[in-house]
Amino acid sequence: MAALKECSNVILGKKDLNVLEEGIVQGRKAFMNMTKYIKITASSNFGNIFSIVLASVLLPFFPMTALQLLLLNLLYDTLCLSLPWDNVDEDECEKPLEWSGRSLGKFMRFFGPVSSLFDIITFVFLYFVMCPALCGGSYNTLTLEAQNQFARIFQTGWFLESLWTQVLILLLLRTKKIPFVQSSPSKLFQIVTVLGILIFTALIYTPLGDFVGLYFLPPQYYIFLFAVAASYLGLMTVAKKIYIKKNKTLY
């Protein structure tokens, strides 16, 4: 018996062949959640990189410092640790799934620019509206100290917009169906996502936020942030429908 176990590829823990089916289903769920993370993260990063390049050319300062970018990615990846426990739609597990680098590129090129569009909207609002209002004038007319404050406010505003949109898009693109109506994320994923946004938003008002160059933002900014996040999710919903109609699938 010991020799048979050593030579076998599969050992059943109990006398029930249904465990094989369950193993296949769980494997497909794990593969789907891994695919979600890779494609959604890649498309978000693609959009952010494009936004950074564009802003770095046009702005007199960096739209976000290297330390802030590292912190943003760390916070986002921390929230994504709950993604392996997310629910997967039953119809996604009915047939074997396959990985394709070509589909990854297509996904990135389609959804990434949508993210960049709202980054640009945020840039315009911060540079021409909120930062001048808080600092007392446009960037070129300010003293060096006021210019540093201007840059910190801008970087903090984009830091929050990037964090919110990156996390919220996980809830939207995790399924080809309508989120929360036709397909609900797992309770763990919902709790981690909501608490993560709240806790990490509060981070800018802590010594750690000050250490990485983030700045206190007035409550009025959050009205704009809510509007941007809602508009982003709305446009992404339309974009998702178009993508599925064109490619017959989301993943």
Side-chain angles (χ1 to χ4, degrees):
M1 181 63 70
L4 288 174
K5 287 184 177 181
E6 292 178 2
C7 294
S8 63
N9 293 322
V10 177
I11 299 175
L12 299 182
K14 58 182 179 179
K15 296 180 180 180
D16 185 359
L17 293 178
N18 288 327
V19 297
L20 295 176
E21 179 186 4
E22 181 63 20
I24 293 173
V25 171
Q26 292 301 322
R28 290 176 180 176
K29 287 182 178 181
F31 183 87
M32 176 54 69
N33 283 332
M34 178 186 69
T35 302
K36 290 178 193 175
Y37 170 76
I38 293 174
K39 289 192 172 183
I40 296 174
T41 302
S43 65
S44 296
N45 289 341
F46 177 79
N48 283 344
I49 290 172
F50 178 79
S51 301
I52 290 172
V53 171
L54 181 63
S56 297
V57 172
L58 298 177
L59 294 176
F61 51 83
F62 289 115
M64 203 181 297
T65 67
L67 187 58
Q68 290 166 353
L69 280 171
L70 288 173
L71 178 61
L72 176 64
N73 288 327
L74 176 62
L75 298 179
Y76 172 77
D77 287 334
T78 299
L79 295 180
C80 287
L81 290 175
S82 63
L83 195 55
W85 288 273
D86 185 28
N87 297 331
V88 176
D89 299 333
E90 290 185 7
D91 57 335
E92 298 287 1
C93 299
E94 292 177 352
K95 58 182 180 180
L97 306 170
E98 60 179 85
W99 172 256
S100 171
R102 184 178 302 174
S103 66
L104 173 61
K106 186 188 303 182
F107 195 94
M108 289 170 54
R109 291 190 299 270
F110 188 86
F111 291 106
V114 181
S115 174
S116 295
L117 173 62
F118 285 90
D119 286 338
I120 294 171
I121 292 172
T122 302
F123 291 165
V124 171
F125 174 77
L126 289 170
Y127 192 82
F128 292 104
V129 180
M130 194 180 82
C131 292
L134 295 178
C135 298
S138 61
Y139 183 83
N140 293 328
T141 63
L142 300 175
T143 63
L144 181 59
E145 182 179 355
Q147 286 181 342
N148 290 333
Q149 181 187 15
F150 190 107
R152 289 185 64 184
I153 294 172
F154 184 99
Q155 292 162 351
T156 305
W158 189 42
F159 179 92
L160 286 180
E161 186 265 344
S162 295
L163 178 65
W164 280 42
T165 53
Q166 276 190 296
V167 174
L168 291 174
I169 205 61
L170 284 171
L171 296 171
L172 180 65
L173 293 184
R174 56 166 292 278
T175 174
K176 62 184 180 182
K177 300 179 180 179
I178 301 175
F180 297 100
V181 177
Q182 298 175 328
S183 175
S184 296
S186 66
K187 293 295 184 182
L188 175 64
F189 190 58
Q190 293 181 49
I191 293 171
V192 170
T193 301
V194 174
L195 288 181
I197 289 179
L198 294 176
I199 293 173
F200 295 151
T201 297
L203 180 68
I204 68 173
Y205 303 101
T206 67
L208 177 60
D210 183 64
F211 174 75
V212 299
L214 299 176
Y215 196 85
F216 285 33
L217 294 180
Q220 294 87 335
Y221 176 71
Y222 293 96
I223 299 175
F224 168 80
L225 186 57
F226 273 108
V228 165
S231 301
Y232 178 60
L233 292 177
L235 185 57
M236 269 295 194
T237 300
V238 175
K240 183 173 75 169
K241 291 181 179 179
I242 295 173
Y243 185 88
I244 294 173
K245 184 177 180 179
K246 181 179 179 180
N247 297 281
K248 309 304 180 184
T249 183
L250 182 60
Y251 292 109

